[in-house]
Amino acid sequence: AQSVAQPEDQVNVAEGNPLTVKCTYSVSGNPYLFWYVQYPNRGLQFLLKYITGDNLVKGSYGFEAEFNKSQTSFHLKKPSALVSDSALYFCAVRDTHNTNAGKSTFGDGTTLTVKP
Amino acid sequence: GAVVSQHPSWVICKSGTSVKIECRSLDFQATTMFWYRQFPKQSLMLMATSNEGSKATYEQGVEKDKFLINHASLTLSTLTVTSAHPEDSSFYICSATERGTTGELFFGEGSRLTVL
């Protein structure tokens, strides 16, 4: 079984400050890890993914995430937050042993609020 | 990037009627599509996995006779909420994964269903 935990329901940061949205995961095999963002009354948008290779992956809108196998974490980061980054963020994991391609498990989401 | 179109965005219907929601992959072949339900300020609840040309696989607790899913082609899946009741009011989101990719999901914009 696979699972994802986003320990923070809410993250508040000031514009221009760095931000981190935390995610830890559990899978039986090697993980495929994803971050998605959701704006109000919209579908989710893919931000970035880790499949293999460099532990630091870069994605859309200046976001990046670091895969840490020993801590089973995949925290989302951005060096300088913008007010427009305010949204709901979801971490997701897929076990590479999962033969049902694309069937990911999502965290409960973290609401990021960036204040001017 | 891959685009998924979901229609309608908003729908209001009377109790007892049926509502059909369409999910189309516009620029890729979606071998697998997923349907989710999302309650306010909550994560995505996977309802079913839809594979082209075969019956959908429903998650535990989801009534297959109430939520009819058809995936007739590689670019179209439909969700029909039959005999809708007020408790079916929710935000429904579809997603698709492209053949041969590592499983990142491309989401539709969601459909807000309100049953009166």
Side-chain angles (χ1 to χ4, degrees), chain B residues 78-96:
Chain B
T78 60
L79 167 68
T80 301
V81 183
T82 62
S83 186
H85 292 284
E87 57 264 31
D88 298 324
S89 298
S90 191
F91 193 53
Y92 293 88
I93 309 175
C94 71
S95 71

Side-chain angles (χ1 to χ4, degrees), chain B residues 97-116:
Chain B
T97 186
E98 187 174 4
R99 186 198 301 266
T101 66
T102 47
E104 63 263 40
L105 297 168
F106 302 99
F107 287 81
E109 288 297 302
S111 300
R112 173 75 59 192
L113 170 63
T114 301
V115 184
L116 302 177

Side-chain angles (χ1 to χ4, degrees), chain A residues 32 34 36 38-46 49 51 88 90 94 100-104 106-109 111, chain B residues 10 32 34 36 38 42-44 46 49 51 59 91 93 97 101-110 112:
Chain A
Y32 287 175
F34 309 87
Y36 298 89
Q38 185 181 30
Y39 296 98
N41 294 309
R42 304 289 295 275
L44 280 67
Q45 296 178 34
F46 168 71
K49 66 181 177 182
I51 303 300
L88 182 57
F90 290 99
R94 183 166 79 81
N100 196 342
K103 186 173 181 179
S104 300
F106 288 82
D108 289 337
T111 299
Chain B
W10 300 84
T32 305
F34 301 88
Y36 308 84
Q38 186 179 33
Q42 292 191 22
S43 189
L44 304 175
L46 179 64
T49 301
N51 293 299
E59 296 298 303
F91 193 53
I93 309 175
T97 186
T101 66
T102 47
E104 63 263 40
L105 297 168
F106 302 99
F107 287 81
E109 288 297 302
R112 173 75 59 192

Side-chain angles (χ1 to χ4, degrees), chain A:
Chain A
Q2 55 195 34
S3 65
V4 176
Q6 292 180 243
E8 302 156 316
D9 290 336
Q10 182 110 19
V11 171
N12 299 313
V13 297
E15 188 174 32
N17 282 0
L19 69 87
T20 298
V21 182
K22 296 180 180 178
C23 171
T24 58
Y25 66 90
S26 175
V27 296
S28 57
N30 292 318
Y32 287 175
L33 294 156
F34 309 87
W35 275 102
Y36 298 89
V37 59
Q38 185 181 30
Y39 296 98
N41 294 309
R42 304 289 295 275
L44 280 67
Q45 296 178 34
F46 168 71
L47 276 180
L48 51 79
K49 66 181 177 182
Y50 171 82
I51 303 300
T52 187
D54 194 347
N55 290 343
L56 184 65
V57 293
K58 295 183 183 297
S60 306
Y61 312 120
F63 284 94
E64 57 188 32
E66 186 166 12
F67 170 63
N68 187 318
K69 188 172 183 178
S70 63
Q71 297 185 5
T72 61
S73 67
F74 189 57
H75 301 331
L76 181 70
K77 300 181 180 183
K78 187 172 183 179
S80 179
L82 300 172
V83 173
S84 57
D85 292 330
S86 299
L88 182 57
Y89 290 80
F90 290 99
C91 180
V93 65
R94 183 166 79 81
D95 191 332
T96 53
H97 290 165
N98 189 337
T99 58
N100 196 342
K103 186 173 181 179
S104 300
T105 299
F106 288 82
D108 289 337
T110 298
T111 299
L112 171 67
T113 302
V114 181
K115 297 183 178 179

